[in-house]
Amino acid sequence: MSSLDDINDYIESGDYKRALEQLNIIISKEPNNALAYYLRGKSSFVAIQLSNNNSNYDANTALIYSNIELDLNKAIELDDSIIDAYRGLM
């Protein structure tokens, strides 16, 4: 299992797929990890923005955005000091 430092390295290098895979594992083992929820929401958002499907808004894209919102809200619920999670909801 990767640490959150490893996750940040994946995000910084643009490997969002790997970051999301590892974040899913972390969240399954640590369901109260607010930072992991925030990073998953952030990674999903950036990945969808960079994808070629951005011009084709379909049901799958809507589901991804819905999941991003759920992750950011969960991060806030667990730790209301993660200011960037609030910004992500704006």
Side-chain angles (χ1 to χ4, degrees):
M1 180 172 68
S2 295
S3 71
L4 290 179
D5 290 334
D6 293 335
I7 302 298
N8 281 322
D9 290 342
Y10 298 141
I11 292 169
E12 289 177 15
S13 69
D15 192 353
Y16 299 104
K17 181 179 180 185
R18 180 86 171 140
L20 290 167
E21 290 169 354
Q22 294 303 309
L23 285 163
N24 287 335
I25 293 168
I26 290 171
I27 290 169
S28 72
K29 294 181 180 194
E30 301 174 37
N32 293 322
N33 189 326
L35 188 55
Y37 282 99
Y38 165 69
L39 289 173
R40 187 170 72 176
K42 175 184 173 182
S43 296
S44 296
F45 180 78
V46 174
I48 197 81
Q49 292 297 308
L50 295 175
S51 75
N52 293 332
N53 296 332
N54 215 14
S55 61
N56 186 16
Y57 194 89
D58 58 9
N60 187 49
T61 304
L63 180 62
I64 292 168
Y65 279 115
S66 178
N67 286 332
I68 291 167
E69 184 177 357
L70 289 172
D71 280 344
L72 295 176
N73 279 316
K74 184 67 173 180
I76 292 166
E77 175 188 321
L78 294 170
D79 181 355
D80 62 4
S81 70
I82 302 176
I83 303 302
D84 287 338
Y86 292 99
R87 291 185 185 125
L89 292 171
M90 294 181 173

Coordinates of all heavy atoms in Angstrom, one line a residue:
M1 N 0.9 -1.2 0.0 CA 0.0 0.0 0.0 C 0.9 1.2 0.0 O 1.9 1.3 0.7 CB -0.9 0.0 1.2 CG -1.8 1.2 1.3 SD -3.1 1.1 2.6 CE -2.1 1.3 4.0
S2 N 0.5 2.2 -0.8 CA 1.3 3.5 -0.9 C 0.9 4.4 0.3 O -0.2 4.3 0.8 CB 0.9 4.2 -2.2 OG 1.4 3.4 -3.3
S3 N 1.8 5.2 0.6 CA 1.6 6.3 1.6 C 1.0 7.5 0.9 O 1.0 7.6 -0.4 CB 2.9 6.7 2.3 OG 3.7 7.4 1.4
L4 N 0.5 8.4 1.6 CA 0.0 9.7 1.0 C 1.1 10.5 0.3 O 0.8 11.2 -0.6 CB -0.8 10.5 2.0 CG -2.1 9.8 2.5 CD1 -2.8 10.7 3.6 CD2 -3.1 9.6 1.4
D5 N 2.3 10.3 0.8 CA 3.4 11.0 0.1 C 3.6 10.4 -1.3 O 3.9 11.1 -2.2 CB 4.7 10.8 0.9 CG 4.7 11.6 2.2 OD1 4.0 12.7 2.3 OD2 5.4 11.3 3.1
D6 N 3.5 9.1 -1.4 CA 3.6 8.4 -2.7 C 2.4 8.9 -3.6 O 2.6 9.2 -4.8 CB 3.5 6.9 -2.6 CG 4.7 6.3 -1.9 OD1 5.7 6.9 -1.9 OD2 4.5 5.2 -1.3
I7 N 1.2 9.1 -3.0 CA 0.1 9.5 -3.8 C 0.4 10.9 -4.3 O 0.1 11.2 -5.5 CB -1.2 9.6 -2.9 CG1 -1.5 8.2 -2.3 CG2 -2.4 10.2 -3.7 CD1 -1.8 7.1 -3.3
N8 N 0.9 11.8 -3.5 CA 1.3 13.2 -4.0 C 2.3 13.1 -5.1 O 2.2 13.9 -6.0 CB 1.8 14.0 -2.8 CG 0.6 14.6 -2.0 OD1 -0.4 14.9 -2.5 ND2 0.9 14.6 -0.7
D9 N 3.2 12.2 -5.0 CA 4.2 12.0 -6.1 C 3.5 11.6 -7.4 O 3.8 12.1 -8.5 CB 5.3 11.0 -5.8 CG 6.2 11.5 -4.7 OD1 6.3 12.7 -4.4 OD2 6.9 10.6 -4.1
Y10 N 2.5 10.7 -7.3 CA 1.8 10.3 -8.5 C 1.0 11.4 -9.1 O 1.0 11.6 -10.3 CB 0.8 9.1 -8.2 CG 1.4 7.9 -7.7 CD1 0.7 7.1 -6.7 CD2 2.5 7.4 -8.2 CE1 1.3 6.0 -6.2 CE2 3.1 6.2 -7.7 CZ 2.5 5.5 -6.7 OH 3.0 4.3 -6.3
I11 N 0.4 12.2 -8.2 CA -0.4 13.4 -8.7 C 0.5 14.4 -9.4 O 0.2 14.9 -10.5 CB -1.2 14.0 -7.5 CG1 -2.3 13.1 -7.0 CG2 -1.8 15.4 -7.9 CD1 -2.9 13.5 -5.7
E12 N 1.6 14.7 -8.7 CA 2.6 15.7 -9.3 C 3.1 15.2 -10.6 O 3.4 16.1 -11.5 CB 3.7 16.0 -8.3 CG 3.2 16.8 -7.1 CD 4.3 17.0 -6.1 OE1 5.5 16.8 -6.4 OE2 3.9 17.4 -5.0
S13 N 3.3 13.9 -10.8 CA 3.8 13.4 -12.1 C 2.7 13.2 -13.1 O 3.0 12.8 -14.3 CB 4.6 12.1 -11.9 OG 3.7 11.1 -11.5
G14 N 1.5 13.4 -12.7 CA 0.4 13.3 -13.7 C -0.2 11.9 -13.8 O -1.0 11.6 -14.7
D15 N 0.2 11.0 -12.9 CA -0.2 9.6 -13.0 C -1.5 9.5 -12.1 O -1.5 8.9 -11.0 CB 0.9 8.7 -12.5 CG 0.6 7.2 -12.8 OD1 -0.6 6.9 -13.2 OD2 1.4 6.3 -12.5
Y16 N -2.6 10.1 -12.6 CA -3.8 10.1 -11.8 C -4.5 8.7 -11.6 O -5.1 8.5 -10.6 CB -4.8 11.1 -12.4 CG -4.2 12.5 -12.4 CD1 -3.7 13.1 -13.6 CD2 -4.1 13.2 -11.3 CE1 -3.2 14.3 -13.6 CE2 -3.5 14.5 -11.3 CZ -3.1 15.0 -12.4 OH -2.5 16.3 -12.4
K17 N -4.3 7.9 -12.7 CA -4.9 6.6 -12.6 C -4.3 5.8 -11.4 O -5.0 5.2 -10.6 CB -4.7 5.8 -13.9 CG -5.3 4.4 -13.9 CD -5.1 3.7 -15.2 CE -5.6 2.3 -15.1 NZ -5.4 1.5 -16.3
R18 N -2.9 5.9 -11.3 CA -2.2 5.2 -10.2 C -2.6 5.8 -8.9 O -2.8 5.1 -7.9 CB -0.7 5.2 -10.4 CG 0.1 4.6 -9.4 CD 0.3 3.1 -9.7 NE 1.2 2.6 -8.7 CZ 1.1 1.4 -8.2 NH1 0.1 0.6 -8.5 NH2 2.0 1.0 -7.3
A19 N -2.7 7.1 -8.8 CA -3.1 7.8 -7.6 C -4.5 7.3 -7.2 O -4.7 7.0 -6.0 CB -3.1 9.3 -7.8
L20 N -5.4 7.3 -8.1 CA -6.8 6.9 -7.8 C -6.8 5.4 -7.3 O -7.5 5.1 -6.3 CB -7.7 7.1 -8.9 CG -8.0 8.6 -9.2 CD1 -8.7 8.7 -10.6 CD2 -8.8 9.2 -8.2
E21 N -6.1 4.5 -8.0 CA -6.0 3.1 -7.5 C -5.6 3.0 -6.1 O -6.1 2.3 -5.3 CB -5.1 2.3 -8.5 CG -5.7 2.1 -9.9 CD -4.6 1.6 -10.8 OE1 -3.4 1.4 -10.4 OE2 -5.0 1.3 -12.0
Q22 N -4.5 3.7 -5.8 CA -3.9 3.6 -4.4 C -4.8 4.3 -3.4 O -4.9 3.8 -2.3 CB -2.5 4.2 -4.4 CG -1.5 3.5 -5.3 CD -1.4 2.0 -4.8 OE1 -1.2 1.7 -3.7 NE2 -1.5 1.1 -5.8
L23 N -5.4 5.4 -3.8 CA -6.4 6.1 -2.9 C -7.6 5.2 -2.5 O -8.0 5.2 -1.4 CB -6.8 7.4 -3.4 CG -5.7 8.5 -3.4 CD1 -6.1 9.6 -4.3 CD2 -5.6 9.0 -1.9
N24 N -8.1 4.5 -3.5 CA -9.2 3.5 -3.3 C -8.8 2.5 -2.3 O -9.5 2.1 -1.4 CB -9.6 2.9 -4.6 CG -10.4 3.8 -5.5 OD1 -11.0 4.8 -5.0 ND2 -10.4 3.5 -6.8
I25 N -7.5 2.0 -2.3 CA -7.0 1.0 -1.4 C -6.9 1.6 0.0 O -7.4 1.0 1.0 CB -5.7 0.4 -1.8 CG1 -5.8 -0.4 -3.1 CG2 -5.0 -0.4 -0.7 CD1 -4.5 -0.8 -3.8
I26 N -6.3 2.8 0.1 CA -6.2 3.5 1.4 C -7.6 3.7 2.0 O -7.8 3.4 3.2 CB -5.4 4.8 1.2 CG1 -4.0 4.5 0.9 CG2 -5.5 5.6 2.5 CD1 -3.2 5.7 0.5
I27 N -8.5 4.2 1.2 CA -9.8 4.5 1.8 C -10.5 3.2 2.2 O -11.2 3.2 3.2 CB -10.7 5.3 0.8 CG1 -10.1 6.7 0.7 CG2 -12.2 5.3 1.1 CD1 -10.7 7.6 -0.5
S28 N -10.4 2.1 1.5 CA -11.0 0.9 1.9 C -10.4 0.4 3.3 O -11.1 -0.3 4.0 CB -10.8 -0.2 0.8 OG -9.5 -0.7 0.8
K29 N -9.2 0.7 3.5 CA -8.5 0.2 4.8 C -8.6 1.3 5.9 O -8.6 0.9 7.1 CB -7.1 -0.1 4.5 CG -6.9 -1.3 3.6 CD -5.5 -1.7 3.4 CE -5.5 -2.9 2.5 NZ -4.2 -3.5 2.5
E30 N -8.8 2.6 5.5 CA -8.8 3.7 6.4 C -10.0 4.6 6.1 O -9.9 5.7 5.5 CB -7.6 4.5 6.4 CG -6.3 3.7 6.7 CD -5.1 4.6 6.5 OE1 -5.1 5.8 6.8 OE2 -4.0 4.0 6.0
P31 N -11.2 4.1 6.4 CA -12.4 4.9 5.9 C -12.6 6.2 6.6 O -13.5 7.0 6.2 CB -13.6 3.9 6.3 CG -13.1 3.0 7.3 CD -11.6 2.9 7.0
N32 N -11.8 6.5 7.6 CA -11.9 7.9 8.2 C -10.7 8.8 7.9 O -10.4 9.7 8.6 CB -12.0 7.7 9.8 CG -13.3 7.1 10.2 OD1 -14.3 7.3 9.6 ND2 -13.2 6.2 11.2
N33 N -10.0 8.5 6.8 CA -8.9 9.2 6.3 C -9.4 10.4 5.5 O -9.6 10.2 4.2 CB -7.9 8.3 5.6 CG -6.6 9.0 5.3 OD1 -6.6 10.2 5.1 ND2 -5.5 8.2 5.3
A34 N -9.6 11.5 6.1 CA -10.1 12.7 5.4 C -9.2 13.1 4.2 O -9.7 13.5 3.1 CB -10.3 13.9 6.3
L35 N -7.9 13.1 4.4 CA -7.0 13.6 3.4 C -7.1 12.7 2.1 O -7.0 13.1 1.0 CB -5.6 13.7 3.9 CG -4.6 14.3 3.0 CD1 -5.0 15.7 2.5 CD2 -3.2 14.3 3.6
A36 N -7.3 11.4 2.4 CA -7.4 10.4 1.2 C -8.6 10.7 0.4 O -8.6 10.7 -0.8 CB -7.4 9.0 1.7
Y37 N -9.8 11.1 1.1 CA -11.0 11.4 0.4 C -10.8 12.7 -0.4 O -11.2 12.8 -1.6 CB -12.2 11.6 1.3 CG -12.8 10.3 1.7 CD1 -12.5 9.8 3.0 CD2 -13.7 9.7 0.9 CE1 -13.1 8.6 3.4 CE2 -14.3 8.5 1.4 CZ -14.0 8.0 2.6 OH -14.5 6.8 3.0
Y38 N -10.1 13.7 0.2 CA -9.8 14.9 -0.5 C -8.9 14.7 -1.7 O -9.3 15.2 -2.8 CB -9.2 16.0 0.4 CG -8.5 17.1 -0.4 CD1 -9.3 18.0 -1.0 CD2 -7.2 17.2 -0.5 CE1 -8.8 19.0 -1.8 CE2 -6.6 18.2 -1.3 CZ -7.4 19.1 -1.9 OH -6.9 20.1 -2.7
L39 N -7.9 13.9 -1.6 CA -7.0 13.7 -2.7 C -7.6 12.9 -3.8 O -7.4 13.1 -5.0 CB -5.7 13.0 -2.2 CG -4.8 13.8 -1.4 CD1 -3.6 13.0 -0.8 CD2 -4.2 15.0 -2.2
R40 N -8.5 12.0 -3.4 CA -9.3 11.2 -4.5 C -10.2 12.1 -5.3 O -10.3 12.1 -6.5 CB -10.0 10.0 -3.8 CG -10.7 9.2 -4.9 CD -11.2 7.9 -4.3 NE -12.4 8.1 -3.6 CZ -13.1 7.1 -3.0 NH1 -12.8 5.9 -3.1 NH2 -14.2 7.4 -2.3
G41 N -10.9 13.0 -4.5 CA -11.7 14.0 -5.2 C -10.9 14.9 -6.1 O -11.3 15.1 -7.3
K42 N -9.8 15.4 -5.6 CA -8.9 16.3 -6.4 C -8.4 15.5 -7.6 O -8.4 16.1 -8.7 CB -7.8 16.8 -5.5 CG -6.7 17.6 -6.2 CD -5.6 17.9 -5.3 CE -4.5 18.6 -6.0 NZ -3.3 18.9 -5.1
S43 N -7.9 14.3 -7.4 CA -7.3 13.6 -8.5 C -8.3 13.3 -9.6 O -8.0 13.4 -10.8 CB -6.7 12.3 -8.0 OG -5.6 12.5 -7.2
S44 N -9.5 12.9 -9.2 CA -10.6 12.6 -10.1 C -10.9 13.9 -10.9 O -11.1 13.8 -12.2 CB -11.8 12.1 -9.4 OG -11.6 10.9 -8.8
F45 N -11.0 15.0 -10.3 CA -11.3 16.3 -10.9 C -10.3 16.6 -12.0 O -10.6 16.9 -13.1 CB -11.5 17.4 -9.9 CG -11.8 18.7 -10.6 CD1 -13.1 19.0 -11.0 CD2 -10.9 19.7 -10.8 CE1 -13.5 20.2 -11.6 CE2 -11.2 20.9 -11.4 CZ -12.5 21.1 -11.8
V46 N -9.0 16.6 -11.6 CA -8.0 16.9 -12.6 C -8.0 15.9 -13.7 O -7.8 16.3 -14.9 CB -6.6 17.0 -11.8 CG1 -5.5 17.2 -12.8 CG2 -6.6 18.1 -10.8
A47 N -8.1 14.6 -13.4 CA -8.1 13.6 -14.5 C -9.2 13.9 -15.5 O -9.0 13.8 -16.7 CB -8.2 12.2 -13.9
I48 N -10.4 14.2 -15.0 CA -11.5 14.4 -15.9 C -11.3 15.7 -16.7 O -11.7 15.8 -17.9 CB -12.9 14.4 -15.2 CG1 -14.1 14.2 -16.2 CG2 -13.1 15.6 -14.4 CD1 -14.3 12.8 -16.6
Q49 N -10.7 16.7 -16.1 CA -10.5 17.9 -16.8 C -9.4 17.7 -17.9 O -9.5 18.4 -19.0 CB -10.0 19.0 -15.9 CG -11.0 19.5 -14.9 CD -12.2 20.2 -15.6 OE1 -12.0 21.1 -16.4 NE2 -13.4 19.7 -15.2
L50 N -8.5 16.8 -17.7 CA -7.4 16.6 -18.7 C -7.8 15.6 -19.8 O -7.1 15.4 -20.8 CB -6.2 16.1 -18.0 CG -5.5 17.1 -17.1 CD1 -4.3 16.5 -16.3 CD2 -5.0 18.4 -17.8
S51 N -8.9 14.9 -19.5 CA -9.3 13.8 -20.5 C -9.8 14.4 -21.8 O -10.3 15.6 -21.8 CB -10.4 12.9 -19.8 OG -11.6 13.5 -19.8
N52 N -9.8 13.6 -22.8 CA -10.3 14.1 -24.1 C -11.8 14.1 -24.1 O -12.4 14.6 -25.1 CB -9.8 13.2 -25.2 CG -8.3 13.3 -25.4 OD1 -7.7 14.4 -25.1 ND2 -7.6 12.3 -25.8
N53 N -12.5 13.5 -23.1 CA -13.9 13.4 -23.1 C -14.6 14.6 -22.5 O -15.8 14.7 -22.3 CB -14.4 12.2 -22.3 CG -13.9 10.9 -22.9 OD1 -13.7 10.8 -24.1 ND2 -13.7 9.9 -22.1
N54 N -13.8 15.7 -22.2 CA -14.3 16.9 -21.6 C -15.4 17.5 -22.4 O -16.3 18.1 -21.9 CB -13.2 17.8 -21.4 CG -13.3 18.6 -20.1 OD1 -14.2 18.3 -19.2 ND2 -12.6 19.7 -19.9
S55 N -15.4 17.4 -23.7 CA -16.4 18.1 -24.6 C -17.6 17.2 -24.7 O -18.6 17.6 -25.2 CB -15.8 18.4 -25.9 OG -15.4 17.2 -26.6
N56 N -17.5 15.9 -24.3 CA -18.6 15.0 -24.4 C -19.2 14.7 -23.0 O -18.8 13.7 -22.4 CB -18.2 13.7 -25.1 CG -19.3 12.8 -25.4 OD1 -20.5 13.2 -25.3 ND2 -19.0 11.6 -25.7
Y57 N -20.0 15.5 -22.5 CA -20.6 15.3 -21.1 C -21.7 14.3 -21.2 O -22.8 14.5 -21.7 CB -21.1 16.6 -20.6 CG -21.4 16.6 -19.1 CD1 -20.4 17.0 -18.2 CD2 -22.6 16.3 -18.6 CE1 -20.6 17.0 -16.9 CE2 -22.9 16.3 -17.3 CZ -21.9 16.6 -16.4 OH -22.1 16.7 -15.0
D58 N -21.4 13.1 -20.6 CA -22.4 12.0 -20.7 C -22.7 11.5 -19.2 O -22.2 12.1 -18.3 CB -21.8 10.8 -21.5 CG -20.5 10.3 -21.0 OD1 -20.0 10.7 -19.9 OD2 -19.9 9.5 -21.8
A59 N -23.4 10.4 -19.1 CA -23.8 9.9 -17.8 C -22.6 9.5 -17.0 O -22.6 9.7 -15.8 CB -24.7 8.8 -18.0
N60 N -21.6 9.0 -17.6 CA -20.4 8.6 -16.9 C -19.6 9.8 -16.3 O -19.2 9.8 -15.2 CB -19.4 7.8 -17.8 CG -18.2 7.2 -17.1 OD1 -18.4 6.6 -16.0 ND2 -17.1 7.4 -17.6
T61 N -19.5 10.8 -17.1 CA -18.9 12.1 -16.6 C -19.7 12.7 -15.5 O -19.1 13.1 -14.5 CB -18.8 13.1 -17.8 OG1 -18.1 12.5 -18.9 CG2 -18.0 14.3 -17.4
A62 N -21.0 12.6 -15.6 CA -21.9 13.2 -14.5 C -21.7 12.3 -13.2 O -21.6 12.9 -12.1 CB -23.3 13.1 -14.9
L63 N -21.5 11.0 -13.4 CA -21.3 10.2 -12.2 C -19.9 10.5 -11.6 O -19.8 10.5 -10.4 CB -21.3 8.7 -12.6 CG -21.1 7.7 -11.5 CD1 -22.1 7.8 -10.4 CD2 -21.1 6.3 -12.1
I64 N -18.9 10.7 -12.4 CA -17.6 11.1 -11.9 C -17.7 12.4 -11.1 O -17.1 12.5 -10.0 CB -16.5 11.2 -13.0 CG1 -16.3 9.8 -13.6 CG2 -15.2 11.8 -12.5 CD1 -15.5 9.8 -14.9
Y65 N -18.3 13.4 -11.6 CA -18.5 14.7 -10.9 C -19.3 14.5 -9.6 O -18.9 15.1 -8.6 CB -19.1 15.7 -11.8 CG -18.2 16.4 -12.7 CD1 -18.3 16.2 -14.1 CD2 -17.1 17.2 -12.3 CE1 -17.4 16.9 -15.0 CE2 -16.3 17.8 -13.1 CZ -16.4 17.6 -14.5 OH -15.5 18.2 -15.3
S66 N -20.3 13.6 -9.6 CA -21.0 13.3 -8.4 C -20.1 12.7 -7.4 O -20.2 13.0 -6.2 CB -22.2 12.4 -8.8 OG -22.9 12.1 -7.6
N67 N -19.3 11.8 -7.8 CA -18.4 11.1 -6.9 C -17.3 12.1 -6.3 O -16.9 12.0 -5.2 CB -17.7 9.9 -7.5 CG -18.6 8.7 -7.7 OD1 -19.6 8.6 -6.9 ND2 -18.4 7.9 -8.7
I68 N -16.9 13.0 -7.1 CA -16.0 14.0 -6.7 C -16.6 14.8 -5.5 O -16.0 15.1 -4.5 CB -15.5 15.0 -7.8 CG1 -14.7 14.2 -8.8 CG2 -14.8 16.2 -7.3 CD1 -14.4 14.9 -10.1
E69 N -17.9 15.2 -5.8 CA -18.6 16.0 -4.7 C -18.7 15.2 -3.5 O -18.5 15.7 -2.4 CB -19.9 16.4 -5.3 CG -20.7 17.3 -4.3 CD -22.0 17.8 -4.9 OE1 -22.4 17.5 -6.0 OE2 -22.8 18.4 -4.1
L70 N -19.0 13.9 -3.6 CA -19.2 13.0 -2.4 C -17.9 12.9 -1.7 O -17.8 13.0 -0.4 CB -19.6 11.7 -2.8 CG -21.1 11.5 -3.3 CD1 -21.4 10.1 -3.8 CD2 -22.0 11.8 -2.1
D71 N -16.8 12.8 -2.4 CA -15.4 12.7 -1.7 C -15.1 14.0 -1.0 O -14.6 13.9 0.1 CB -14.3 12.4 -2.8 CG -14.3 10.9 -3.1 OD1 -14.9 10.1 -2.4 OD2 -13.6 10.5 -4.1
L72 N -15.3 15.1 -1.6 CA -15.0 16.4 -1.0 C -15.8 16.6 0.2 O -15.3 17.1 1.3 CB -15.1 17.5 -2.0 CG -14.1 17.5 -3.2 CD1 -14.4 18.6 -4.1 CD2 -12.6 17.5 -2.7
N73 N -17.1 16.3 0.1 CA -18.0 16.4 1.3 C -17.6 15.5 2.4 O -17.6 15.9 3.6 CB -19.5 16.2 0.9 CG -20.1 17.4 0.3 OD1 -19.9 18.5 0.8 ND2 -20.8 17.3 -0.8
K74 N -17.2 14.3 2.1 CA -16.7 13.3 3.1 C -15.5 13.8 3.8 O -15.3 13.7 5.0 CB -16.5 11.9 2.5 CG -16.1 10.9 3.5 CD -17.3 10.6 4.4 CE -17.0 9.4 5.3 NZ -18.0 9.1 6.2
A75 N -14.5 14.4 3.0 CA -13.3 14.9 3.6 C -13.6 16.0 4.6 O -13.1 16.1 5.7 CB -12.4 15.5 2.5
I76 N -14.6 16.9 4.2 CA -15.0 18.0 5.1 C -15.7 17.4 6.4 O -15.4 17.9 7.5 CB -15.9 19.0 4.4 CG1 -15.1 19.7 3.3 CG2 -16.6 20.0 5.3 CD1 -15.9 20.5 2.3
E77 N -16.5 16.4 6.2 CA -17.2 15.8 7.3 C -16.2 15.2 8.3 O -16.4 15.4 9.5 CB -18.1 14.7 6.8 CG -18.8 13.9 7.9 CD -19.5 12.7 7.3 OE1 -20.1 12.8 6.2 OE2 -19.5 11.6 7.9
L78 N -15.1 14.6 7.8 CA -14.2 14.0 8.7 C -13.2 15.0 9.3 O -12.7 14.8 10.4 CB -13.4 12.9 7.9 CG -14.2 11.7 7.5 CD1 -13.4 10.8 6.5 CD2 -14.7 10.9 8.7
D79 N -12.9 16.1 8.5 CA -11.9 17.0 8.9 C -12.2 18.4 8.3 O -11.8 18.6 7.2 CB -10.5 16.6 8.6 CG -9.4 17.6 9.1 OD1 -9.7 18.7 9.6 OD2 -8.2 17.3 8.9
D80 N -12.9 19.2 9.0 CA -13.4 20.5 8.5 C -12.3 21.5 8.3 O -12.5 22.6 7.9 CB -14.6 21.1 9.2 CG -14.2 21.4 10.7 OD1 -13.1 21.2 11.1 OD2 -15.2 21.8 11.4
S81 N -11.0 21.1 8.6 CA -9.9 22.1 8.4 C -9.3 21.9 7.1 O -8.3 22.7 6.8 CB -8.9 21.9 9.5 OG -8.2 20.7 9.4
I82 N -9.7 21.0 6.2 CA -9.2 20.9 4.9 C -9.8 21.9 4.0 O -10.8 21.7 3.3 CB -9.3 19.4 4.3 CG1 -8.7 18.4 5.3 CG2 -8.7 19.3 2.9 CD1 -8.9 17.0 4.9
I83 N -9.2 23.1 4.0 CA -9.8 24.3 3.3 C -10.0 24.0 1.8 O -11.0 24.4 1.2 CB -9.0 25.5 3.5 CG1 -8.9 25.8 5.0 CG2 -9.5 26.7 2.8 CD1 -10.2 26.0 5.7
D84 N -9.0 23.3 1.2 CA -9.1 23.1 -0.3 C -10.3 22.2 -0.7 O -10.8 22.3 -1.8 CB -7.8 22.5 -0.8 CG -6.7 23.5 -0.8 OD1 -6.9 24.7 -0.9 OD2 -5.5 23.0 -0.8
A85 N -10.8 21.4 0.3 CA -12.0 20.6 0.0 C -13.2 21.5 -0.2 O -14.0 21.3 -1.1 CB -12.3 19.6 1.1
Y86 N -13.3 22.6 0.6 CA -14.4 23.6 0.4 C -14.2 24.3 -0.9 O -15.2 24.5 -1.7 CB -14.3 24.6 1.5 CG -14.6 24.2 2.9 CD1 -13.6 23.8 3.8 CD2 -16.0 24.0 3.3 CE1 -13.9 23.4 5.1 CE2 -16.3 23.6 4.6 CZ -15.3 23.3 5.4 OH -15.6 22.8 6.7
R87 N -13.0 24.6 -1.3 CA -12.7 25.3 -2.6 C -13.1 24.4 -3.7 O -13.6 24.9 -4.7 CB -11.3 25.7 -2.7 CG -10.9 26.8 -1.8 CD -9.4 27.2 -2.0 NE -9.0 28.2 -1.0 CZ -8.0 28.1 -0.2 NH1 -7.2 27.1 -0.3 NH2 -7.7 29.0 0.7
G88 N -12.9 23.1 -3.6 CA -13.3 22.2 -4.7 C -14.7 22.1 -4.9 O -15.2 21.8 -6.0
L89 N -15.5 22.5 -3.9 CA -17.0 22.4 -4.1 C -17.6 23.7 -4.7 O -18.8 23.7 -5.0 CB -17.7 22.2 -2.7 CG -17.4 20.8 -2.1 CD1 -17.9 20.7 -0.7 CD2 -18.1 19.7 -3.0
M90 N -16.8 24.7 -4.8 CA -17.3 26.0 -5.3 C -17.4 25.9 -6.8 O -16.7 25.3 -7.5 CB -16.4 27.1 -4.9 CG -16.4 27.4 -3.5 SD -15.3 28.7 -3.1 CE -15.7 29.0 -1.4

